Amino acid sequence: EAQVTQNPRYLITVTGKKLTVTCSQNMNHEYMSWYRQDPGLGLRQIYYSMNVEVTDKGDVPEGYKVSRKEKRNFPLILESPSPNQTSLYFCATRTMSSYEQYFGPGTRLTVT
Amino acid sequence: RKEVEQDPGPFNVPEGATVAFNCTYSNSASQSFFWYRQDCRKEPKLLMSVYSSGNEDGRFTAQLNRASQYISLLIRDSKLSDSATYLCVSAREGGSYIPTFGRGTSLIVHP
């Protein structure tokens, strides 16, 4: 079954404690990206990657890092989380020949 | 001004009704357009792409008006299961693909 998985699905943490949210896909898609979704603001892209070792900033990259060492994985790293990073995070993938995206189930992060 | 604007609603309609949503985009360089559906606290899922000539998928019809820079989604014969938030997306094509999502329009279909 084609899918995008994220872990953890829910996380409550404290300010400053480094965390990683994993994203994995089994569709062999080249393009992967991270979004955050906040009430009243909609989905905003954080980072994206067009292939292994190729990453670039989206609209709201501050406070986040990503890496793309393997095609199937695209982890999102928060080196020093702050309360304003409390949000619902989605990973998404697509092929390079289509702009239709497939989203993971989401990770609800709360930073206290 | 946000690049993609949608009326947040909610649109409250009875089963069987026809409902239409509009979405305006400000970037005239946008070339690709989509409607996604998002159920509460779930991931967005592609509903349909929007083509220049308009396209239909069952009870759903999408239209693009480049001159006025808006796209629309028409839902006929609404079902209870159509209750969701509908997200409009525009994107410029090319290597640096950063799609812009609207904030979504909430639809509630009641018996």
Side-chain angles (χ1 to χ4, degrees):
Chain A
E1 179 192 353
Q3 59 181 350
V4 181
T5 58
Q6 293 180 226
N7 281 292
R9 295 289 315 281
Y10 303 90
L11 178 61
I12 300 174
T13 190
V14 296
T15 299
K17 185 176 181 182
K18 181 179 178 180
L19 66 93
T20 299
V21 184
T22 64
C23 173
S24 184
Q25 50 105 354
N26 64 359
M27 295 175 280
N28 203 36
H29 287 175
E30 298 89 352
Y31 188 101
M32 298 184 74
S33 58
W34 277 102
Y35 293 85
R36 61 178 288 174
Q37 187 173 34
D38 303 288
L41 295 176
L43 277 160
R44 293 177 292 167
Q45 194 178 59
I46 302 170
Y47 268 95
Y48 65 95
S49 167
M50 289 195 282
N51 216 324
V52 175
E53 303 292 1
V54 180
T55 63
D56 209 343
K57 297 176 181 178
D59 289 327
V60 288
E62 296 77 22
Y64 304 94
K65 284 174 58 177
V66 292
S67 70
R68 187 92 182 272
K69 293 183 169 51
E70 304 167 280
K71 194 173 185 179
R72 63 180 291 127
N73 296 323
F74 189 45
L76 178 70
I77 303 155
L78 284 73
E79 295 270 2
S80 183
S82 62
N84 64 13
Q85 292 179 296
T86 292
S87 187
L88 178 57
Y89 291 87
F90 289 105
C91 178
T93 77
R94 66 173 177 93
T95 67
M96 291 303 286
S97 59
S98 168
Y99 292 99
E100 299 175 14
Q101 298 189 79
Y102 298 84
F103 284 81
T107 295
R108 186 164 293 279
L109 172 66
T110 301
V111 183
T112 62
Chain B
R1 179 187 168 194
K2 191 162 169 50
E3 198 167 313
V4 175
E5 300 263 18
Q6 293 182 253
D7 180 344
F11 285 65
N12 226 306
V13 303
E15 266 186 296
T18 295
V19 62
F21 310 136
N22 279 345
C23 163
T24 59
Y25 62 94
S26 60
N27 192 332
S28 58
S30 296
Q31 295 169 288
S32 299
F33 304 91
F34 305 91
W35 283 103
Y36 280 77
R37 171 197 168 122
Q38 185 174 26
D39 293 297
C40 189
R41 297 175 180 269
K42 297 283 186 70
E43 73 272 24
K45 293 185 179 177
L46 180 69
L47 179 65
M48 57 198 306
S49 304
V50 186
Y51 303 122
S52 296
S53 55
N55 47 302
E56 188 173 310
D57 183 3
R59 298 182 292 107
F60 299 85
T61 301
Q63 298 276 357
L64 167 63
N65 185 318
R66 287 193 186 273
S68 301
Q69 295 188 195
Y70 76 84
I71 68 172
S72 64
L73 177 67
L74 181 78
I75 305 175
R76 289 181 299 278
D77 188 23
S78 299
K79 311 291 184 193
L80 296 176
S81 58
D82 292 335
S83 298
T85 297
Y86 292 83
L87 308 176
C88 166
V89 184
S90 75
R92 300 183 298 283
E93 297 184 6
S96 180
Y97 174 79
I98 302 180
T100 302
F101 284 76
R103 297 173 194 177
T105 296
S106 175
L107 171 66
I108 301 170
V109 181
H110 57 82

